[in-house]
Amino acid sequence: MVRKSLFRKFVFTLTAVMLLTCSSIRAAELETTPQISLPTGDMAERKLSDPIVMLSPEEAQRYNQQMAGYERKETSHLINRAETYYYYEHLDPVARQIYDVLFEVLKDPVSEDNIGLMMTNMDPASAEFYYEFNVASRAICFDHPELFWLYAGTDAEISFLSEALMQNGFYFVYFRMREPFEHFEEQMTAFNLATEEFLSDIDTGISEYETVRQIHDKLIRQVTYDTPAAEGPDPPVGQDLAHTAYGALVADSAGNPHYAVCDGYSLAFEYLVQQCGIEALFIGGNAGNTEWDAGLHAWNMVKLDGNWYEVDCTWDDVGEGYLDGFTPEMEDYDYYMEALGDLEYREKLDHYLFLLSTENMRHYVPDIEMYYITKDGRHAFPLIFESVHIRLNAEEMGLEENPGSILYMDSMVISLAPQALWDYL
């Protein structure tokens, strides 16, 4: 069970703050330095897919008849302008085949006659095929944030079924929605309109860096961290739209506009960047102030000018959260408010996890530039602290002991992600 830290809850600790000395600045120690407890344990841990359903010959024939009578719609509400999808490109052939068939079903999750079919020589009742199915379905969710309703995993789920007998060396496997997704058109229309509105004032004609920076900055200004959703089940199950791009761009399940938690921020960022022709990835793992208090968390990678970098929009959006922790009764309150009102320092707060290397993101240690020096030269203190981001890794996290778990499946997808070799300078 991961520890869940509450966002915008401040822990006041006695710290030995760096003593700065130079000819023009004299800095004294602050006796109390507020340290934000950053949001961890807020990534949804979706439940595993149900086991395969074995069909009788009569049931298989009925599905064949439904498929034959299905008329595919010429257009779909699903829109994604990405040229490539990283996780798809790096799956093994079986998982990629499943991915392809699943995606055709997901283009129209309303019609009961939209059933996908694949042939495989791998026993669909085996643990190996179950693994491939779950890896493929998670890769789709990570590649396609517009499938927010599938990532949420409550209103829309995929079933897979198979005839019990092998025919000519192959099994026939069917994929269909468990139930028609009734809210598809309504939610996708709202999502597409919100995306169009968000991107309407993003200038994509300058550079990839400026495009990504505009999206990052606008997203963290627009989205409010959804504490009630983060305080849900432990570990959280993706029942709330706050865990999706829909929560960030439209509203959470309670109807709060632009309310999201870490995976909502991350999936929205990925999707918006994709629509501008820039490759981005969803990354899941553990994050916290230290390795020992880290909980499930989500962030991103983005590819600029041929190089990968890491980004955590959720943790960059702590600026407003800082304000909740300061009261006039606090010692040195005026100095803290001065720091938060300093535009140059706030710029650092809002971008301290923006375009970093994997190594720096994994173990972030703020340097002297992250200390704020008060205008009177009396104090120097940080509002950004040491932290860790550790990608899901089966071996490192002991997930190999439970290879049937969803976290193990997720780790197999996330392990395909590249390394960001340096910070963006």
Side-chain angles (χ1 to χ4, degrees), residues 144-281:
H144 292 273
E146 71 275 18
L147 297 173
F148 54 85
W149 35 273
L150 183 66
Y151 182 86
T154 51
D155 292 335
E157 294 186 68
I158 288 278
S159 296
F160 69 117
L161 316 97
S162 176
E163 289 188 73
L165 300 177
M166 178 186 290
Q167 299 183 30
N168 299 321
F170 289 95
Y171 295 94
F172 291 81
V173 185
Y174 301 83
F175 301 93
R176 64 188 297 269
M177 299 301 296
R178 185 178 303 282
E179 299 288 344
F181 179 39
E182 298 177 355
H183 304 298
F184 177 68
E185 184 171 349
E186 170 194 349
Q187 290 189 352
M188 288 308 309
T189 298
F191 181 77
N192 292 335
L193 288 173
T195 300
E196 183 178 351
E197 180 180 352
F198 186 102
L199 293 173
S200 62
D201 61 354
I202 300 297
D203 186 352
T204 60
I206 305 174
S207 67
E208 289 184 344
Y209 167 80
E210 289 296 339
T211 298
V212 170
R213 185 182 174 90
Q214 289 175 75
I215 290 171
H216 169 277
D217 292 0
K218 185 173 182 178
L219 187 67
I220 67 174
R221 288 195 305 269
Q222 173 176 288
V223 179
T224 299
Y225 188 84
D226 200 334
T227 302
E231 293 176 352
D234 190 5
V237 180
Q239 78 283 359
D240 197 299
L241 290 169
H243 291 280
T244 72
Y246 188 93
L249 297 177
V250 184
D252 66 6
S253 294
N256 300 307
H258 310 302
Y259 265 61
V261 293
C262 67
D263 34 7
Y265 277 84
S266 301
L267 290 163
F269 177 79
E270 177 188 11
Y271 184 70
L272 294 165
V273 168
Q274 286 176 326
Q275 305 327 294
C276 297
I278 299 171
E279 194 169 0
L281 287 179

Side-chain angles (χ1 to χ4, degrees), residues 16 26 28 51 56 66 72 96 101 107 113 152 157 178 250 266 277 285 331-332 347 349 373:
R26 176 179 175 274
S56 67
Q66 286 182 254
R72 182 164 298 284
R96 190 182 300 185
V101 178
K107 288 180 180 178
D113 294 337
E157 294 186 68
R178 185 178 303 282
V250 184
S266 301
E331 185 177 1
D332 299 310
E347 173 78 3
L349 292 179
I373 302 174

Side-chain angles (χ1 to χ4, degrees), residues 190-415:
F191 181 77
N192 292 335
L193 288 173
T195 300
E196 183 178 351
E197 180 180 352
F198 186 102
L199 293 173
S200 62
D201 61 354
I202 300 297
D203 186 352
T204 60
I206 305 174
S207 67
E208 289 184 344
Y209 167 80
E210 289 296 339
T211 298
V212 170
R213 185 182 174 90
Q214 289 175 75
I215 290 171
H216 169 277
D217 292 0
K218 185 173 182 178
L219 187 67
I220 67 174
R221 288 195 305 269
Q222 173 176 288
V223 179
T224 299
Y225 188 84
D226 200 334
T227 302
E231 293 176 352
D234 190 5
V237 180
Q239 78 283 359
D240 197 299
L241 290 169
H243 291 280
T244 72
Y246 188 93
L249 297 177
V250 184
D252 66 6
S253 294
N256 300 307
H258 310 302
Y259 265 61
V261 293
C262 67
D263 34 7
Y265 277 84
S266 301
L267 290 163
F269 177 79
E270 177 188 11
Y271 184 70
L272 294 165
V273 168
Q274 286 176 326
Q275 305 327 294
C276 297
I278 299 171
E279 194 169 0
L281 287 179
F282 176 92
I283 300 291
N286 286 345
N289 294 117
T290 70
E291 179 180 351
W292 312 112
D293 67 4
L296 280 177
H297 186 62
W299 62 99
N300 293 101
M301 297 191 74
V302 61
K303 193 175 187 180
L304 298 179
D305 302 319
N307 297 314
W308 287 101
Y309 303 95
E310 303 212 11
V311 181
D312 188 339
C313 295
T314 313
W315 282 19
D316 277 347
D317 190 25
V318 298
E320 294 304 315
Y322 281 116
L323 298 177
D324 297 339
F326 299 101
T327 63
E329 294 76 25
M330 287 175 52
E331 185 177 1
D332 299 310
Y333 170 80
D334 291 339
Y335 288 126
Y336 297 134
M337 297 310 294
E338 177 188 317
L340 292 172
D342 186 290
L343 295 181
E344 184 177 350
Y345 191 69
R346 280 298 293 270
E347 173 78 3
K348 295 177 181 179
L349 292 179
D350 292 344
H351 297 91
Y352 86 103
L353 294 180
F354 181 63
L355 305 183
L356 300 186
S357 67
T358 299
E359 181 181 1
N360 201 5
M361 182 70 83
R362 180 181 172 90
H363 188 185
Y364 177 83
V365 181
D367 58 26
I368 193 171
E369 293 183 0
M370 289 302 176
Y371 281 76
Y372 181 76
I373 302 174
T374 58
K375 294 177 181 178
D376 61 13
R378 293 182 58 198
H379 297 286
F381 57 91
L383 290 178
I384 295 172
F385 296 86
E386 186 173 352
S387 61
V388 298
H389 284 66
I390 305 168
R391 295 184 189 182
L392 282 176
N393 181 291
E395 182 177 358
E396 185 174 353
M397 297 181 178
L399 299 174
E400 292 176 322
E401 298 176 2
N402 187 10
S405 70
I406 194 65
L407 281 182
Y408 179 82
M409 310 293 184
D410 283 359
S411 74
M412 293 297 99
V413 180
I414 300 301
S415 67

Side-chain angles (χ1 to χ4, degrees), residues 80-91:
N80 196 320
R81 297 184 177 90
E83 296 181 0
T84 60
Y85 299 96
Y86 185 92
Y87 289 127
Y88 172 77
E89 296 294 338
H90 291 80
L91 293 175

Side-chain angles (χ1 to χ4, degrees), residues 23-160:
S23 59
S24 59
I25 297 175
R26 176 179 175 274
E29 290 188 357
L30 289 180
E31 293 184 357
T32 58
T33 299
Q35 180 172 338
I36 189 170
S37 184
L38 293 162
T40 64
D42 51 348
M43 175 182 162
E45 185 179 347
R46 185 180 172 179
K47 69 181 183 66
L48 283 166
S49 302
D50 291 335
I52 193 168
V53 174
M54 305 307 294
L55 301 173
S56 67
E58 293 76 21
E59 290 171 320
Q61 182 61 30
R62 177 165 56 85
Y63 281 130
N64 291 336
Q65 292 173 351
Q66 286 182 254
M67 292 168 55
Y70 175 67
E71 295 185 8
R72 182 164 298 284
K73 298 179 180 179
E74 295 183 2
T75 60
S76 172
H77 288 285
L78 296 183
I79 299 172
N80 196 320
R81 297 184 177 90
E83 296 181 0
T84 60
Y85 299 96
Y86 185 92
Y87 289 127
Y88 172 77
E89 296 294 338
H90 291 80
L91 293 175
D92 67 52
V94 175
R96 190 182 300 185
Q97 184 183 7
I98 295 171
Y99 185 120
D100 287 334
V101 178
L102 285 178
F103 195 69
E104 290 303 312
V105 174
L106 296 168
K107 288 180 180 178
D108 177 13
V110 178
S111 174
E112 293 185 345
D113 294 337
N114 183 20
I115 300 170
L117 176 64
M118 70 173 282
M119 297 172 60
T120 178
N121 58 7
M122 181 181 289
D123 184 354
S126 66
E128 290 77 13
F129 191 88
Y130 185 68
Y131 165 85
E132 298 283 359
F133 174 78
N134 277 283
V135 165
S137 61
R138 292 304 276 174
I140 284 180
C141 289
F142 297 160
D143 277 344
H144 292 273
E146 71 275 18
L147 297 173
F148 54 85
W149 35 273
L150 183 66
Y151 182 86
T154 51
D155 292 335
E157 294 186 68
I158 288 278
S159 296
F160 69 117

